[in-house]
Amino acid sequence: MPAGGGTSQTAVARTAGAQSQAASAVVAAVAFATLLFLAPVLELMPNATLAAVVIAYSIGLVNPAEMAAIRRVRTMEFGWAVNACLGVMLLAR
């Protein structure tokens, strides 16, 4: 299972069908090429558009059944998870 620097990166790699660490090298190469050639185009995009892209690929990370399981086992941990979610939604820019 390929792993990225964060859970969303791993989820995207898994959804794309990545099966080895070579996927990380491909992602790094594409990111580098994007920085070199598409930075002027991406600079013109509104932040809301970029946020929508992040939300679209991260939505699969939210699993209500897992949140319910956390609540049943550890109420305090559930509270921290809810606070973290709310903090990201309300305070992230």
Side-chain angles (χ1 to χ4, degrees):
M1 159 72 97
T7 55
S8 61
Q9 292 171 342
T10 301
V12 170
R14 183 176 175 195
T15 302
Q19 296 182 4
S20 72
Q21 291 298 325
S24 296
V26 172
V27 169
V30 171
F32 184 70
T34 300
L35 287 173
L36 286 178
F37 303 112
L38 296 179
V41 176
L42 294 176
E43 181 181 28
L44 301 174
M45 292 177 70
N47 285 341
T49 304
L50 297 174
V53 170
V54 172
I55 290 169
Y57 75 73
S58 296
I59 198 74
L61 298 174
V62 178
N63 188 336
E66 288 183 11
M67 292 292 280
I70 291 171
R71 185 170 185 233
R72 281 192 304 273
V73 175
R74 294 188 175 166
T75 307
M76 183 172 280
E77 188 173 329
F78 174 76
W80 286 112
V82 170
N83 284 331
C85 289
L86 290 174
V88 168
M89 288 189 294
L90 297 175
L91 301 175
R93 299 186 192 211

